[in-house]
Amino acid sequence: MLTDTILVINCGSSSLKFSLICPQTGETLLNGLAERLSSESAELKYSFQNNKQVTSLPAPFDHQAAIDVLVNILKQHQLVEKVSAVGHRVVHGGEKYALPTRVDEQVKQTIAELAKLAPLHNPANLIGIEACEKAFKHLPQVAIFDTAFHQSMPEKAYIYGLPYSLYQEHCIRRYGFHGTSHYFVASQAAKLVNKPIESCNFISAHLGNGCSVSAVKNGKSVDTTLGLTPVEGVMMGTRSGDVDPGIIFHLINQLGYSAEQVNHLLNKESGLLGVSQLSNDCRELETAMFEQDHAGAKLALEIFCYRIAKAIAGFTASLTELDGIIFTGGIGENSSFVREQVLTQLSLLGVEIDPDKNEATRFGKSGVITTAQSRAAWVIPTNEEWVIAEQTQQILSAE
Ligand code: AMP
């Protein structure tokens, strides 16, 4: 019988994901998602013991309403007593938070101040924290920051080639994101190579709608592709990744774009969607390419894979040893095509894909996808919720 479970909350601007997790085993007792919050069509879907339920939310249809419905669900299934703390995913912890942190008034104020670096995410994360504080007054709240794992990067990796005063006065530097995911897959890969994480060196590729590649040296992040914001680095679903900054001025000065339009273009209209002119969804692009010989889909996927391979190859500069390459995220875990395209371009690193293993390792399976004589590459499904539960438990045990 599970007694200590952690409620994990991941709040977006119009959504709230939740899971009730046993921190020791990662077992999920209940999980769900409230979507379209703050609109009349707001609804909450959840799954308990393989039963799926959908319920609409009462007015004002907001995050607080979702949390209140969640409390009722927990009561209905006699789960309230089993929750020992709430762990929150918080996107931006700036330079202040390299570790999981118990939430108090000061921490909330800092998360609010850091909204200038993550205007779409930190305010939503704070709403989730405050809603949970009201609903679970007796429970500790812990913040796990998506930037935290990358706080170990050396200056050469996080300082931009800009006037240093911009860093000193305005905190403009690389922070990186997806830290919890990179940390999780690196710690799982350490088990696969049977070494302590402190002596492991990996390059991990988190490939989902957002994508990032990270270099992990002796178990710590030493470089990553996402930057001050989540637009930098490899190409993503709708985000451009690296572009010549001069393009921005060309768009504004020569083509009459406003700054806001450029922001939208780089974040929402670019990447796989922009190049293919078809979709940001990797599955759809693969289908269009294989079944219709769609030129845009083919080019978008070609650029996507090439840039991931370039990022992986580039990060060998930050390592002296490489135990292997890790794929995770919706695309990394499921697209054998993308993995094959990426790894084929890395033959100089001594990587040789095993086509059968690659094809067989999809849909939640984990394992090696390279031949016996090759440098290893693995698929490892990410589990950020488990890390949040585990780290929340650890901080409470340490207190
Ligand atoms: P995420 O943001 O991690 O949920 O990942 C979303 C991305 O994973 C989307 O681009 C999906 O098309 C992609 N994806 C999910 N399943 C598959 C699949 N079977 N094959 C290729 N891409 C997939």
Side-chain angles (χ1 to χ4, degrees):
M1 167 75 97
L2 291 167
T3 48
D4 270 3
T5 60
I6 306 292
L7 180 61
V8 175
I9 299 286
N10 181 356
C11 240
S13 53
S14 63
S15 68
L16 187 150
K17 255 191 189 167
F18 55 89
S19 333
L20 190 61
I21 295 187
C22 169
Q24 284 81 21
T25 61
E27 185 190 345
T28 302
L29 271 80
L30 175 134
N31 64 347
L33 170 69
E35 287 180 291
R36 297 190 290 280
L37 295 176
S38 301
S39 82
E40 287 186 20
S41 57
E43 64 174 22
L44 185 148
K45 295 180 192 155
Y46 76 96
S47 165
F48 175 63
Q49 292 179 339
N50 292 328
N51 284 322
K52 292 191 168 63
Q53 305 272 347
V54 183
T55 158
S56 53
L57 296 183
F61 322 107
D62 58 2
H63 291 80
Q64 189 68 56
I67 294 284
D68 292 343
V69 169
L70 171 58
V71 172
N72 284 335
I73 293 168
L74 293 172
K75 282 186 185 154
Q76 193 186 323
H77 298 296
Q78 281 92 46
L79 291 169
V80 176
E81 302 306 317
K82 293 192 167 72
V83 186
S84 57
V86 187
H88 295 268
R89 174 178 185 238
V90 179
V91 165
H92 221 304
E95 289 190 328
K96 179 109 187 181
Y97 299 113
L99 293 171
T101 304
R102 176 97 174 236
V103 175
D104 59 18
E105 288 307 312
Q106 178 60 50
V107 172
K108 283 198 287 177
Q109 196 185 324
T110 311
I111 293 172
E113 284 162 13
L114 288 167
K116 63 176 185 291
L117 296 174
L120 297 179
H121 296 101
N122 272 32
N125 301 153
L126 203 50
I127 290 172
I129 290 174
E130 290 183 334
C132 285
E133 280 179 333
K134 275 193 207 141
F136 305 99
K137 290 193 182 66
H138 58 296
L139 293 183
Q141 313 280 328
V142 175
I144 312 307
F145 297 90
D146 222 24
T147 45
F149 182 56
H150 301 302
Q151 277 298 299
S152 47
M153 286 188 290
E155 259 197 327
K156 69 174 178 186
Y158 71 73
I159 295 290
Y160 288 112
L162 294 168
Y164 196 71
S165 55
L166 284 175
Y167 166 59
Q168 289 171 306
E169 291 162 28
H170 301 287
C171 310
I172 293 180
R173 52 159 283 180
R174 175 185 313 288
Y175 291 95
F177 302 90
H178 298 144
T180 312
S181 176
H182 288 293
Y183 164 75
F184 178 77
V185 296
S187 47
Q188 295 299 306
K191 291 179 193 161
L192 293 177
V193 295
N194 206 14
K195 291 205 290 194
I197 178 89
E198 295 76 19
S199 34
C200 286
N201 301 285
F202 302 120
I203 295 176
S204 54
H206 176 110
L207 311 176
N209 241 325
C211 301
S212 65
V213 178
S214 282
V216 176
K217 185 175 188 175
N218 297 328
K220 291 191 158 50
S221 171
V222 288
D223 207 346
T224 193
T225 52
L226 291 173
L228 172 78
T229 74
V231 198
E232 199 186 343
V234 295
M235 195 170 96
M236 303 173 227
T238 60
R239 291 177 236 157
S240 62
D242 294 339
V243 293
D244 175 356
I247 293 171
I248 296 170
F249 303 103
H250 187 80
L251 290 170
I252 292 174
N253 297 332
Q254 307 298 327
L255 302 179
Y257 279 69
S258 68
E260 200 33 59
Q261 284 171 325
V262 175
N263 192 22
H264 196 266
L265 178 119
L266 295 176
N267 279 287
K268 304 275 185 216
E269 300 166 35
S270 299
L272 290 173
L273 172 67
V275 176
S276 69
Q277 305 276 287
L278 181 70
S279 170
N280 64 321
D281 190 296
C282 184
R283 260 169 309 201
E284 269 184 54
L285 294 181
E286 287 185 27
T287 307
M289 183 180 73
F290 287 119
E291 293 180 8
Q292 298 144 31
D293 203 20
H294 190 286
K298 183 163 182 268
L299 179 62
L301 288 167
E302 200 175 3
I303 298 171
F304 183 74
C305 298
Y306 174 55
R307 291 180 60 161
I308 295 160
K310 271 212 298 189
I312 293 173
F315 278 164
T316 59
S318 34
L319 302 175
T320 45
E321 286 171 46
L322 178 60
D323 292 299
I325 297 164
I326 310 166
F327 289 93
T328 194
I331 299 173
E333 291 167 28
N334 296 304
S335 175
S336 48
F337 170 76
V338 166
R339 297 187 308 236
E340 190 253 329
Q341 292 297 304
V342 170
L343 292 180
T344 309
Q345 294 173 82
L346 292 172
S347 56
L348 281 180
L349 288 183
V351 180
E352 186 183 55
I353 196 155
D354 180 320
D356 295 333
K357 286 183 185 156
N358 184 37
E359 208 48 54
T361 315
R362 301 171 72 193
F363 312 125
K365 288 201 187 131
S366 78
V368 70
I369 54 168
T370 38
T371 60
Q373 60 278 6
S374 165
R375 188 188 297 282
W378 306 275
V379 174
I380 301 181
T382 195
N383 192 338
E384 291 156 280
E385 286 78 12
W386 187 7
V387 176
I388 295 173
E390 212 175 31
Q391 296 190 340
T392 300
Q393 177 67 42
Q394 278 161 8
I395 189 168
L396 298 177
S397 313
E399 277 178 3

